[in-house]
Amino acid sequence: MIPADVHPPRASWTRDRGRVVLELSGDWQRGAAEPEITGEPTGSAPDAYATAALGDYDSTLPAFLLARIREGNPDKPSLDGLPPDLHGLLELALAVPEEVEARGTPAEVSEIQKLGTVSIRTWSGVRSIVDFTGHSMMSLGRFFTGRAHFRSREFWLIVQQCGAQALPIVSLISFLIGLIMAFVGNVQLANFGASLYVADLVGIAMVREMGVVMTAIIVSGRTGAAFAAHLGSMKANQEIDALRTFGFNPFDFLVLPRMLALVLMMPLLTIYANLIGMLGGMLVGAAVNIPPALYWYETLTVVNLENAFLGVFKSVFFGIVIAMSGCLQGMHAGNSSAAVGQATTRAVVASITTIIILDSAFAVIFTLLDI
Amino acid sequence: MQETTAQAPARAKIAVRGLTMAYGSFVVMRDLNFDVADKDIFVIMGGSGCGKSTLLRHLIGLQEPASGRVLFDGEDFTATPAAERARFIRRFGVMYQSGALWSSLTLAENIAMPLEEHTDLKAKAIRDLVSYKLALVGLSGYEDHYPAQISGGMNKRAGIARAMALDPDILFLDEPGAGLDPLSARRLDDLILRLRDGLGSTIVVVTHELASIFAIANQSVFLDSATRTQGATGNPADLRDHSDNPAVRLFLRRGGETAVPSNTTP
Ligand SMILES: Nc1ncnc2c1ncn2[C@@H]1O[C@H](COP(=O)(O)OP(=O)(O)OP(=O)(O)O)[C@@H](O)[C@H]1O
Ligand SMILES: [Mg+2]
C-alpha cells in the first residue's frame, strides 16, 4: 500500500543557460511507481541537479542517478545541487572508475567463431582426458614398482564406502532386475510349457550383462559422483594445491587409491549382484511351481565359469572408468560450489555413457571371438 | 633501500625477473622485478584484487608465468620442468589464503602428514612436534578437531602451523592476519619475527594490514593495480615517507587523513 501523502517520483531534464539540469521531485522509494521522466533525454550526464521538490528517498534514487551519469560518461561528473548525503554516496560510487576490461566480452559472436570455440574446447577436453589417463597410468606404474604411496587408512575408508556401504542398494536393484526378467520371461516361455528355462534366461542375462551393467550404473551414481564432489571441493578449497606444495603427487594420493578401491570392489559387487539376481528369479520360479532346488540345478547347467568370468572381467574395466571419470571431473572442476555440482553431473553422465559404449564393444568382441 | 642490481644477484634467496602474470589474455601484472634476500621478511602489498595471491602462486610454481623468470638461490625455477621441481618445493612452507587444510584429516593429522611422509621421525616424536606447532599458533588442545569444526581464523592459524611443519627454508603466507582479532594478529606478527630469528627462515607474506606491515617487514613490493605493474620496492617505512610514487604513499598512509577519498578520480 502506498500512503496518500506520497508523491510519485519524477525526473525532468531542463536546460538552464546551456547547462543540463536534472530536476528531481517526489518520493523515490522501492515500493513506488516507475519514475516519470520528462523533458529531452540529452544523452549527456546532468551538469547540475535541482532538488527543491525532492521528498523521501532510498537507494533507488542514487542508483538512478549513477546509471544516468554512466550513460553520459562525462570526464568529470558534476554533483552540483545534490543534498550532502546523496553527494557523498555518489562520490564514493564514482571514486573508482569502472573496470571496463572486467566486463564480459560483447555477446556478438559469429558462427565461425562459435565453431572455433567449440572445437578448441573439445580439443582441450580430449587433451585433458589423455593427459589425465597418462598420469593415472604412471601413478599405477609407480604403485606396482612400489614407489607410489598413499595413506592406507584412506584407501580402506574408500573401500568401505564404495563396497560394503553399496550392498543394500545393489541388493535391492539386482533382486528386482532378476525378478522382472523372470516374470517377463515366464509369460513367454509358459506358452511353450518351458517355464523351467526361466532359470537359464535369468542366469545367463545376469552373469553376462545385467549384473555387471546395473552394478556399474549404481556405482557411477553413488561412488563416481562422490569422488567428483570430494575432489572438486578439495580443489576449490586449494587442498590439492596444498598437496602439491608439500611434495605429494595428487595422482598417487587421491586418484590411485580410488582406482584401486574400485578395481577391487567392482568384481565383488558384481558377483554379489549376480547371485542376488538369480535369487529374484528363483522367487518367481517358486511362484510358478518350479522348486528352488530344480531352479538352481537348471541355472548351473548354463552358467559355467567362463560365462561368469566374462561379467567379472568387464567389471574391472568399468571400475577403472568410474574412478577415472569421477576423479578427472573433480580435479578439473572450477573453483566454486556451482562448479563442483557441474563436475559431479559430468562425472556421472560420462561414466554411464562410457560404460554402455564399452559394454557394446565387449559384446561385439565376445561375439567375434565366439565366447 | 634495497640495492637492486640489474643482473646476477647471487645473494638473493628469491629473484623475480621480468615476471608477467596473466589469466588467458587478461594480464594481471606485468614486468615485476624484485629480490628477496636471505632471512628477509618480505611483504607483498597492494589493493584487493591486484594480483598478490596470483604472484604467490607463481613464486611456488602453481601457475606458469606468461613471461619472465623466478630464481631461487640463483637457480632458475621457472625453467625447471615440473617433474624436477621437487627439490625446490621441499624447501617451501605455504599457507593459502583460505587455510586449505585437508578437510578429511584432523588438525593433528594435517600437520603430521608432511612429517610422516618426508621424515623418519617416530610416531611419538611426531606427536610432540604437532603439539608444539599447534601451541605456537595458540591452538593447543584442538589436535583432534576437524577443519570444519573450528572457525575461519583458527583454520588460518592451523594452516600456518602446517606450513611450519617441516621447518621450511622459505615460508609463504597469504594474508595470515586477515580475519584475526587484534590480539591474535599481534601474536602472529611476533611468531613470524621469532620464526625468522629462531629458524632463519625467509618469509614472504601477502598482507594489507598496515600495522603488521610496519611491525614485521624489512622489505616489500607494492603492486599497483592502476598501472598493473610494481609501484615500488623497499622498506615499507622508507616508502611511506620517501617514495616518489603517490599511490604507494597513499596506500601506506591509509589514503591520508580522511577515510573517504575526496574527489580523487585517478
Ligand atoms: N582463476 C582465475 N581466472 C581468471 N581471473 C582470475 C582468476 N583468479 C584471479 N583472477 C583475477 O586476477 C586478479 C588478481 O587476483 P588475486 O586473487 O591474485 O588478487 P589478490 O591481490 O590476492 O586479492 P585479495 O587481496 O582480495 O586476496 C583479479 O583481478 C581476479 O579477477
Ligand atoms: Mg589474495
Side-chain angles (χ1 to χ4, degrees), chain A residues 302-323:
Chain A
V302 288
V303 177
N304 49 22
L305 261 185
E306 187 180 87
N307 268 331
F309 174 75
L310 288 184
V312 174
F313 176 75
K314 289 195 283 191
S315 75
V316 172
F317 289 88
F318 293 173
I320 294 177
V321 165
I322 296 167

Side-chain angles (χ1 to χ4, degrees), chain B residues 49 51-54 97 174-175 206:
Chain B
K52 302 182 296 294
S53 300
T54 308
Q97 192 164 2
D174 195 349
E175 302 203 6
V206 169

